[in-house]
mmCIF file of all heavy atoms in Angstrom:
data_model
loop_
_atom_site.group_PDB
_atom_site.id
_atom_site.type_symbol
_atom_site.label_atom_id
_atom_site.label_comp_id
_atom_site.label_asym_id
_atom_site.label_seq_id
_atom_site.Cartn_x
_atom_site.Cartn_y
_atom_site.Cartn_z
ATOM 1 N N GLU Y 1 108.745 96.384 103.812
ATOM 2 C CA GLU Y 1 107.844 95.334 103.329
ATOM 3 C C GLU Y 1 107.120 95.795 102.065
ATOM 4 O O GLU Y 1 106.939 95.038 101.114
ATOM 5 C CB GLU Y 1 106.821 94.983 104.418
ATOM 6 C CG GLU Y 1 107.412 94.290 105.640
ATOM 7 C CD GLU Y 1 107.895 92.885 105.356
ATOM 8 O OE1 GLU Y 1 107.478 92.294 104.335
ATOM 9 O OE2 GLU Y 1 108.710 92.377 106.145
ATOM 10 N N ASN Y 2 106.695 97.059 102.057
ATOM 11 C CA ASN Y 2 106.003 97.607 100.884
ATOM 12 C C ASN Y 2 106.932 97.676 99.676
ATOM 13 O O ASN Y 2 106.505 97.484 98.535
ATOM 14 C CB ASN Y 2 105.436 98.992 101.195
ATOM 15 C CG ASN Y 2 104.275 98.934 102.177
ATOM 16 O OD1 ASN Y 2 103.606 97.915 102.276
ATOM 17 N ND2 ASN Y 2 104.043 100.015 102.901
ATOM 18 N N LYS Y 3 108.206 97.971 99.939
ATOM 19 C CA LYS Y 3 109.186 98.019 98.858
ATOM 20 C C LYS Y 3 109.347 96.637 98.221
ATOM 21 O O LYS Y 3 109.463 96.497 96.997
ATOM 22 C CB LYS Y 3 110.531 98.512 99.402
ATOM 23 C CG LYS Y 3 111.574 98.818 98.342
ATOM 24 C CD LYS Y 3 111.194 100.033 97.527
ATOM 25 C CE LYS Y 3 112.299 100.399 96.543
ATOM 26 N NZ LYS Y 3 111.897 101.515 95.668
ATOM 27 N N LEU Y 4 109.322 95.613 99.073
ATOM 28 C CA LEU Y 4 109.429 94.243 98.578
ATOM 29 C C LEU Y 4 108.214 93.891 97.718
ATOM 30 O O LEU Y 4 108.334 93.284 96.639
ATOM 31 C CB LEU Y 4 109.527 93.284 99.768
ATOM 32 C CG LEU Y 4 110.068 91.876 99.490
ATOM 33 C CD1 LEU Y 4 111.512 91.938 99.035
ATOM 34 C CD2 LEU Y 4 109.948 91.022 100.738
ATOM 35 N N LYS Y 5 107.010 94.275 98.170
ATOM 36 C CA LYS Y 5 105.789 94.027 97.398
ATOM 37 C C LYS Y 5 105.822 94.790 96.073
ATOM 38 O O LYS Y 5 105.367 94.280 95.042
ATOM 39 C CB LYS Y 5 104.574 94.460 98.217
ATOM 40 C CG LYS Y 5 104.310 93.599 99.438
ATOM 41 C CD LYS Y 5 103.135 94.129 100.236
ATOM 42 C CE LYS Y 5 102.912 93.309 101.502
ATOM 43 N NZ LYS Y 5 101.809 93.861 102.335
ATOM 44 N N GLN Y 6 106.357 96.007 96.111
ATOM 45 C CA GLN Y 6 106.449 96.822 94.904
ATOM 46 C C GLN Y 6 107.364 96.161 93.877
ATOM 47 O O GLN Y 6 107.059 96.123 92.676
ATOM 48 C CB GLN Y 6 106.972 98.211 95.272
ATOM 49 C CG GLN Y 6 106.962 99.211 94.129
ATOM 50 C CD GLN Y 6 107.576 100.531 94.547
ATOM 51 O OE1 GLN Y 6 108.784 100.643 94.748
ATOM 52 N NE2 GLN Y 6 106.728 101.552 94.690
ATOM 53 N N THR Y 7 108.478 95.623 94.361
ATOM 54 C CA THR Y 7 109.410 94.936 93.465
ATOM 55 C C THR Y 7 108.754 93.708 92.844
ATOM 56 O O THR Y 7 108.884 93.452 91.640
ATOM 57 C CB THR Y 7 110.678 94.514 94.238
ATOM 58 O OG1 THR Y 7 111.306 95.674 94.764
ATOM 59 C CG2 THR Y 7 111.651 93.766 93.343
ATOM 60 N N GLU Y 8 108.026 92.952 93.652
ATOM 61 C CA GLU Y 8 107.330 91.770 93.140
ATOM 62 C C GLU Y 8 106.296 92.169 92.092
ATOM 63 O O GLU Y 8 106.152 91.506 91.057
ATOM 64 C CB GLU Y 8 106.645 91.022 94.290
ATOM 65 C CG GLU Y 8 105.977 89.731 93.860
ATOM 66 C CD GLU Y 8 105.391 88.958 95.028
ATOM 67 O OE1 GLU Y 8 105.353 89.498 96.149
ATOM 68 O OE2 GLU Y 8 104.963 87.807 94.817
ATOM 69 N N ALA Y 9 105.576 93.270 92.334
ATOM 70 C CA ALA Y 9 104.561 93.740 91.385
ATOM 71 C C ALA Y 9 105.199 94.118 90.048
ATOM 72 O O ALA Y 9 104.646 93.819 88.979
ATOM 73 C CB ALA Y 9 103.813 94.936 91.965
ATOM 74 N N MET Y 10 106.367 94.762 90.091
ATOM 75 C CA MET Y 10 107.047 95.149 88.846
ATOM 76 C C MET Y 10 107.475 93.916 88.044
ATOM 77 O O MET Y 10 107.325 93.872 86.830
ATOM 78 C CB MET Y 10 108.258 96.035 89.166
ATOM 79 C CG MET Y 10 107.884 97.453 89.565
ATOM 80 S SD MET Y 10 109.312 98.578 89.714
ATOM 81 C CE MET Y 10 109.967 98.084 91.310
ATOM 82 N N ILE Y 11 107.990 92.911 88.740
ATOM 83 C CA ILE Y 11 108.421 91.698 88.038
ATOM 84 C C ILE Y 11 107.224 90.956 87.459
ATOM 85 O O ILE Y 11 107.273 90.434 86.334
ATOM 86 C CB ILE Y 11 109.221 90.783 88.993
ATOM 87 C CG1 ILE Y 11 110.494 91.509 89.472
ATOM 88 C CG2 ILE Y 11 109.598 89.475 88.306
ATOM 89 C CD1 ILE Y 11 111.285 90.749 90.522
ATOM 90 N N LEU Y 12 106.110 90.915 88.206
ATOM 91 C CA LEU Y 12 104.903 90.240 87.725
ATOM 92 C C LEU Y 12 104.287 90.956 86.523
ATOM 93 O O LEU Y 12 103.550 90.357 85.740
ATOM 94 C CB LEU Y 12 103.869 90.135 88.849
ATOM 95 C CG LEU Y 12 104.196 89.127 89.960
ATOM 96 C CD1 LEU Y 12 103.206 89.259 91.107
ATOM 97 C CD2 LEU Y 12 104.200 87.701 89.419
ATOM 98 N N SER Y 13 104.584 92.260 86.387
ATOM 99 C CA SER Y 13 104.062 93.023 85.249
ATOM 100 C C SER Y 13 104.871 92.798 83.977
ATOM 101 O O SER Y 13 104.498 93.260 82.902
ATOM 102 C CB SER Y 13 104.042 94.523 85.585
ATOM 103 O OG SER Y 13 103.114 94.782 86.609
ATOM 104 N N MET Y 14 105.989 92.094 84.101
ATOM 105 C CA MET Y 14 106.798 91.758 82.929
ATOM 106 C C MET Y 14 106.250 90.494 82.273
ATOM 107 O O MET Y 14 105.654 89.652 82.934
ATOM 108 C CB MET Y 14 108.258 91.499 83.345
ATOM 109 C CG MET Y 14 108.951 92.680 83.978
ATOM 110 S SD MET Y 14 110.635 92.208 84.529
ATOM 111 C CE MET Y 14 111.144 93.673 85.423
ATOM 112 N N THR Y 15 106.486 90.364 80.990
ATOM 113 C CA THR Y 15 106.161 89.113 80.306
ATOM 114 C C THR Y 15 107.232 88.091 80.654
ATOM 115 O O THR Y 15 108.312 88.441 81.164
ATOM 116 C CB THR Y 15 106.123 89.299 78.789
ATOM 117 O OG1 THR Y 15 107.440 89.643 78.326
ATOM 118 C CG2 THR Y 15 105.141 90.401 78.397
ATOM 119 N N VAL Y 16 106.948 86.824 80.392
ATOM 120 C CA VAL Y 16 107.929 85.765 80.661
ATOM 121 C C VAL Y 16 109.221 86.034 79.893
ATOM 122 O O VAL Y 16 110.331 85.878 80.418
ATOM 123 C CB VAL Y 16 107.356 84.386 80.280
ATOM 124 C CG1 VAL Y 16 108.430 83.306 80.418
ATOM 125 C CG2 VAL Y 16 106.152 84.049 81.153
ATOM 126 N N GLN Y 17 109.083 86.481 78.645
ATOM 127 C CA GLN Y 17 110.266 86.775 77.823
ATOM 128 C C GLN Y 17 111.081 87.900 78.441
ATOM 129 O O GLN Y 17 112.321 87.845 78.456
ATOM 130 C CB GLN Y 17 109.837 87.142 76.406
ATOM 131 C CG GLN Y 17 111.015 87.340 75.452
ATOM 132 C CD GLN Y 17 110.557 87.789 74.072
ATOM 133 O OE1 GLN Y 17 109.481 88.380 73.935
ATOM 134 N NE2 GLN Y 17 111.352 87.502 73.048
ATOM 135 N N GLU Y 18 110.409 88.922 78.949
ATOM 136 C CA GLU Y 18 111.112 90.067 79.552
ATOM 137 C C GLU Y 18 111.839 89.663 80.827
ATOM 138 O O GLU Y 18 112.937 90.153 81.107
ATOM 139 C CB GLU Y 18 110.112 91.185 79.849
ATOM 140 C CG GLU Y 18 109.615 91.884 78.587
ATOM 141 C CD GLU Y 18 108.429 92.784 78.849
ATOM 142 O OE1 GLU Y 18 107.796 92.670 79.931
ATOM 143 O OE2 GLU Y 18 108.112 93.612 77.972
ATOM 144 N N ARG Y 19 111.251 88.763 81.592
ATOM 145 C CA ARG Y 19 111.908 88.306 82.827
ATOM 146 C C ARG Y 19 113.166 87.512 82.500
ATOM 147 O O ARG Y 19 114.160 87.599 83.210
ATOM 148 C CB ARG Y 19 110.948 87.434 83.637
ATOM 149 C CG ARG Y 19 109.780 88.180 84.249
ATOM 150 C CD ARG Y 19 108.903 87.207 85.028
ATOM 151 N NE ARG Y 19 107.520 87.649 85.037
ATOM 152 C CZ ARG Y 19 106.494 86.886 85.353
ATOM 153 N NH1 ARG Y 19 106.698 85.617 85.669
ATOM 154 N NH2 ARG Y 19 105.270 87.362 85.347
ATOM 155 N N ARG Y 20 113.079 86.726 81.430
ATOM 156 C CA ARG Y 20 114.221 85.883 81.078
ATOM 157 C C ARG Y 20 115.306 86.637 80.312
ATOM 158 O O ARG Y 20 116.467 86.249 80.338
ATOM 159 C CB ARG Y 20 113.728 84.685 80.240
ATOM 160 C CG ARG Y 20 112.856 83.729 81.037
ATOM 161 C CD ARG Y 20 112.297 82.615 80.178
ATOM 162 N NE ARG Y 20 111.488 81.688 80.969
ATOM 163 C CZ ARG Y 20 110.759 80.706 80.463
ATOM 164 N NH1 ARG Y 20 110.749 80.522 79.132
ATOM 165 N NH2 ARG Y 20 110.048 79.912 81.241
ATOM 166 N N LYS Y 21 114.897 87.711 79.625
ATOM 167 C CA LYS Y 21 115.864 88.498 78.843
ATOM 168 C C LYS Y 21 115.698 89.982 79.183
ATOM 169 O O LYS Y 21 115.085 90.749 78.421
ATOM 170 C CB LYS Y 21 115.661 88.268 77.346
ATOM 171 C CG LYS Y 21 115.899 86.828 76.916
ATOM 172 C CD LYS Y 21 115.679 86.663 75.410
ATOM 173 C CE LYS Y 21 115.938 85.235 74.972
ATOM 174 N NZ LYS Y 21 115.721 85.056 73.509
ATOM 175 N N PRO Y 22 116.225 90.420 80.320
ATOM 176 C CA PRO Y 22 116.067 91.814 80.765
ATOM 177 C C PRO Y 22 116.607 92.835 79.766
ATOM 178 O O PRO Y 22 116.174 93.986 79.778
ATOM 179 C CB PRO Y 22 116.867 91.854 82.077
ATOM 180 C CG PRO Y 22 116.921 90.437 82.541
ATOM 181 C CD PRO Y 22 116.979 89.614 81.306
ATOM 182 N N LEU Y 23 117.509 92.417 78.873
ATOM 183 C CA LEU Y 23 118.114 93.362 77.930
ATOM 184 C C LEU Y 23 117.096 93.908 76.920
ATOM 185 O O LEU Y 23 117.336 94.957 76.303
ATOM 186 C CB LEU Y 23 119.270 92.686 77.173
ATOM 187 C CG LEU Y 23 120.505 92.336 78.031
ATOM 188 C CD1 LEU Y 23 121.533 91.602 77.181
ATOM 189 C CD2 LEU Y 23 121.119 93.596 78.631
ATOM 190 N N ILE Y 24 115.955 93.234 76.759
ATOM 191 C CA ILE Y 24 114.963 93.716 75.779
ATOM 192 C C ILE Y 24 114.023 94.768 76.386
ATOM 193 O O ILE Y 24 113.118 95.252 75.703
ATOM 194 C CB ILE Y 24 114.128 92.546 75.213
ATOM 195 C CG1 ILE Y 24 113.215 91.963 76.304
ATOM 196 C CG2 ILE Y 24 115.028 91.478 74.627
ATOM 197 C CD1 ILE Y 24 112.233 90.927 75.772
ATOM 198 N N LEU Y 25 114.247 95.113 77.642
ATOM 199 C CA LEU Y 25 113.359 96.068 78.311
ATOM 200 C C LEU Y 25 113.664 97.498 77.862
ATOM 201 O O LEU Y 25 114.422 98.232 78.484
ATOM 202 C CB LEU Y 25 113.511 95.940 79.843
ATOM 203 C CG LEU Y 25 112.941 94.652 80.446
ATOM 204 C CD1 LEU Y 25 113.354 94.500 81.899
ATOM 205 C CD2 LEU Y 25 111.429 94.629 80.314
ATOM 206 N N ASN Y 26 113.047 97.899 76.758
ATOM 207 C CA ASN Y 26 113.225 99.255 76.232
ATOM 208 C C ASN Y 26 112.258 100.231 76.926
ATOM 209 O O ASN Y 26 111.520 99.848 77.850
ATOM 210 C CB ASN Y 26 113.039 99.277 74.716
ATOM 211 C CG ASN Y 26 111.671 98.725 74.304
ATOM 212 O OD1 ASN Y 26 110.712 98.771 75.068
ATOM 213 N ND2 ASN Y 26 111.587 98.216 73.081
ATOM 214 N N ALA Y 27 112.238 101.471 76.469
ATOM 215 C CA ALA Y 27 111.450 102.527 77.119
ATOM 216 C C ALA Y 27 109.955 102.220 77.153
ATOM 217 O O ALA Y 27 109.282 102.409 78.176
ATOM 218 C CB ALA Y 27 111.698 103.859 76.422
ATOM 219 N N SER Y 28 109.405 101.748 76.028
ATOM 220 C CA SER Y 28 107.959 101.479 75.985
ATOM 221 C C SER Y 28 107.574 100.312 76.891
ATOM 222 O O SER Y 28 106.514 100.331 77.537
ATOM 223 C CB SER Y 28 107.532 101.186 74.541
ATOM 224 O OG SER Y 28 108.183 100.028 74.045
ATOM 225 N N ARG Y 29 108.431 99.312 76.939
ATOM 226 C CA ARG Y 29 108.169 98.163 77.816
ATOM 227 C C ARG Y 29 108.222 98.601 79.285
ATOM 228 O O ARG Y 29 107.396 98.168 80.102
ATOM 229 C CB ARG Y 29 109.185 97.045 77.570
ATOM 230 C CG ARG Y 29 109.024 96.335 76.218
ATOM 231 C CD ARG Y 29 110.144 95.334 76.000
ATOM 232 N NE ARG Y 29 110.090 94.703 74.691
ATOM 233 C CZ ARG Y 29 109.496 93.539 74.440
ATOM 234 N NH1 ARG Y 29 108.894 92.888 75.429
ATOM 235 N NH2 ARG Y 29 109.502 93.030 73.225
ATOM 236 N N ARG Y 30 109.171 99.439 79.608
ATOM 237 C CA ARG Y 30 109.297 99.920 80.988
ATOM 238 C C ARG Y 30 108.081 100.745 81.397
ATOM 239 O O ARG Y 30 107.623 100.677 82.538
ATOM 240 C CB ARG Y 30 110.587 100.735 81.141
ATOM 241 C CG ARG Y 30 111.838 99.913 80.889
ATOM 242 C CD ARG Y 30 113.116 100.695 81.116
ATOM 243 N NE ARG Y 30 114.285 99.930 80.684
ATOM 244 C CZ ARG Y 30 115.523 100.129 81.117
ATOM 245 N NH1 ARG Y 30 115.764 101.107 81.976
ATOM 246 N NH2 ARG Y 30 116.520 99.393 80.685
ATOM 247 N N LYS Y 31 107.559 101.536 80.452
ATOM 248 C CA LYS Y 31 106.366 102.336 80.741
ATOM 249 C C LYS Y 31 105.178 101.416 81.012
ATOM 250 O O LYS Y 31 104.389 101.644 81.933
ATOM 251 C CB LYS Y 31 106.068 103.233 79.541
ATOM 252 C CG LYS Y 31 104.786 104.086 79.669
ATOM 253 C CD LYS Y 31 104.941 105.137 80.755
ATOM 254 C CE LYS Y 31 103.830 106.182 80.705
ATOM 255 N NZ LYS Y 31 102.479 105.620 80.875
ATOM 256 N N ARG Y 32 105.048 100.346 80.233
ATOM 257 C CA ARG Y 32 103.952 99.403 80.427
ATOM 258 C C ARG Y 32 104.068 98.701 81.781
ATOM 259 O O ARG Y 32 103.075 98.507 82.487
ATOM 260 C CB ARG Y 32 103.969 98.364 79.307
ATOM 261 C CG ARG Y 32 102.701 97.507 79.252
ATOM 262 C CD ARG Y 32 102.909 96.197 78.530
ATOM 263 N NE ARG Y 32 103.658 95.248 79.316
ATOM 264 C CZ ARG Y 32 104.886 94.833 79.026
ATOM 265 N NH1 ARG Y 32 105.522 95.286 77.963
ATOM 266 N NH2 ARG Y 32 105.481 93.959 79.803
ATOM 267 N N ILE Y 33 105.282 98.334 82.155
ATOM 268 C CA ILE Y 33 105.533 97.661 83.432
ATOM 269 C C ILE Y 33 105.178 98.588 84.600
ATOM 270 O O ILE Y 33 104.549 98.169 85.582
ATOM 271 C CB ILE Y 33 106.999 97.205 83.528
ATOM 272 C CG1 ILE Y 33 107.270 96.084 82.521
ATOM 273 C CG2 ILE Y 33 107.343 96.742 84.947
ATOM 274 C CD1 ILE Y 33 108.732 95.769 82.310
ATOM 275 N N ALA Y 34 105.559 99.856 84.487
ATOM 276 C CA ALA Y 34 105.255 100.829 85.535
ATOM 277 C C ALA Y 34 103.747 101.002 85.692
ATOM 278 O O ALA Y 34 103.212 101.015 86.810
ATOM 279 C CB ALA Y 34 105.913 102.172 85.214
ATOM 280 N N ASP Y 35 103.047 101.110 84.573
ATOM 281 C CA ASP Y 35 101.592 101.267 84.612
ATOM 282 C C ASP Y 35 100.917 100.028 85.206
ATOM 283 O O ASP Y 35 99.957 100.129 85.975
ATOM 284 C CB ASP Y 35 101.046 101.523 83.209
ATOM 285 C CG ASP Y 35 101.476 102.875 82.651
ATOM 286 O OD1 ASP Y 35 101.867 103.742 83.473
ATOM 287 O OD2 ASP Y 35 101.441 103.060 81.416
ATOM 288 N N GLY Y 36 101.432 98.883 84.844
ATOM 289 C CA GLY Y 36 100.827 97.630 85.308
ATOM 290 C C GLY Y 36 101.065 97.333 86.768
ATOM 291 O O GLY Y 36 100.294 96.598 87.394
ATOM 292 N N SER Y 37 102.136 97.893 87.332
ATOM 293 C CA SER Y 37 102.480 97.612 88.730
ATOM 294 C C SER Y 37 102.151 98.757 89.679
ATOM 295 O O SER Y 37 102.409 98.665 90.888
ATOM 296 C CB SER Y 37 103.974 97.276 88.842
ATOM 297 O OG SER Y 37 104.767 98.359 88.370
ATOM 298 N N GLY Y 38 101.614 99.839 89.128
ATOM 299 C CA GLY Y 38 101.287 100.976 89.975
ATOM 300 C C GLY Y 38 102.506 101.711 90.484
ATOM 301 O O GLY Y 38 102.474 102.327 91.554
ATOM 302 N N THR Y 39 103.595 101.642 89.728
ATOM 303 C CA THR Y 39 104.835 102.326 90.105
ATOM 304 C C THR Y 39 105.169 103.359 89.031
ATOM 305 O O THR Y 39 104.380 103.617 88.127
ATOM 306 C CB THR Y 39 105.984 101.311 90.248
ATOM 307 O OG1 THR Y 39 106.163 100.625 88.990
ATOM 308 C CG2 THR Y 39 105.672 100.288 91.334
ATOM 309 N N THR Y 40 106.352 103.942 89.128
ATOM 310 C CA THR Y 40 106.797 104.908 88.135
ATOM 311 C C THR Y 40 107.883 104.300 87.261
ATOM 312 O O THR Y 40 108.495 103.283 87.626
ATOM 313 C CB THR Y 40 107.363 106.168 88.820
ATOM 314 O OG1 THR Y 40 108.557 105.810 89.547
ATOM 315 C CG2 THR Y 40 106.352 106.775 89.784
ATOM 316 N N VAL Y 41 108.127 104.932 86.121
ATOM 317 C CA VAL Y 41 109.202 104.474 85.234
ATOM 318 C C VAL Y 41 110.538 104.561 85.964
ATOM 319 O O VAL Y 41 111.423 103.721 85.776
ATOM 320 C CB VAL Y 41 109.233 105.328 83.945
ATOM 321 C CG1 VAL Y 41 110.449 104.967 83.092
ATOM 322 C CG2 VAL Y 41 107.947 105.120 83.140
ATOM 323 N N ARG Y 42 110.661 105.557 86.806
ATOM 324 C CA ARG Y 42 111.897 105.709 87.585
ATOM 325 C C ARG Y 42 112.122 104.488 88.488
ATOM 326 O O ARG Y 42 113.254 104.013 88.608
ATOM 327 C CB ARG Y 42 111.814 106.974 88.437
ATOM 328 C CG ARG Y 42 113.060 107.235 89.263
ATOM 329 C CD ARG Y 42 112.904 108.508 90.084
ATOM 330 N NE ARG Y 42 114.079 108.743 90.910
ATOM 331 C CZ ARG Y 42 114.199 109.751 91.767
ATOM 332 N NH1 ARG Y 42 113.207 110.628 91.918
ATOM 333 N NH2 ARG Y 42 115.297 109.892 92.494
ATOM 334 N N ASP Y 43 111.048 103.986 89.106
ATOM 335 C CA ASP Y 43 111.173 102.790 89.952
ATOM 336 C C ASP Y 43 111.623 101.589 89.123
ATOM 337 O O ASP Y 43 112.487 100.813 89.546
ATOM 338 C CB ASP Y 43 109.830 102.478 90.619
ATOM 339 C CG ASP Y 43 109.414 103.522 91.640
ATOM 340 O OD1 ASP Y 43 110.303 104.106 92.278
ATOM 341 O OD2 ASP Y 43 108.195 103.752 91.785
#
């Protein structure tokens, strides 16, 4: 259940553009998403 919540948090930390175009998710964007969702870049 926590894994599911973690996944939802990562997606919510993305911008609308990033959700619609996953290919633009570069290293800096991934770092921001990890920080915003309380996860790691690896996640």
Side-chain angles (χ1 to χ4, degrees):
E1 292 291 341
N2 290 335
K3 189 69 175 175
L4 198 64
K5 292 177 183 177
Q6 187 184 71
T7 300
E8 184 176 9
M10 285 188 282
I11 298 174
L12 288 172
S13 294
M14 298 176 187
T15 65
V16 174
Q17 185 184 25
E18 288 168 345
R19 291 180 209 164
R20 293 176 179 172
K21 297 180 179 180
L23 292 177
I24 68 172
L25 290 170
N26 57 26
S28 62
R29 290 175 184 266
R30 297 183 188 202
K31 177 67 167 60
R32 192 201 74 248
I33 292 167
D35 292 341
S37 59
T39 59
T40 65
V41 173
R42 181 180 178 183
D43 292 328

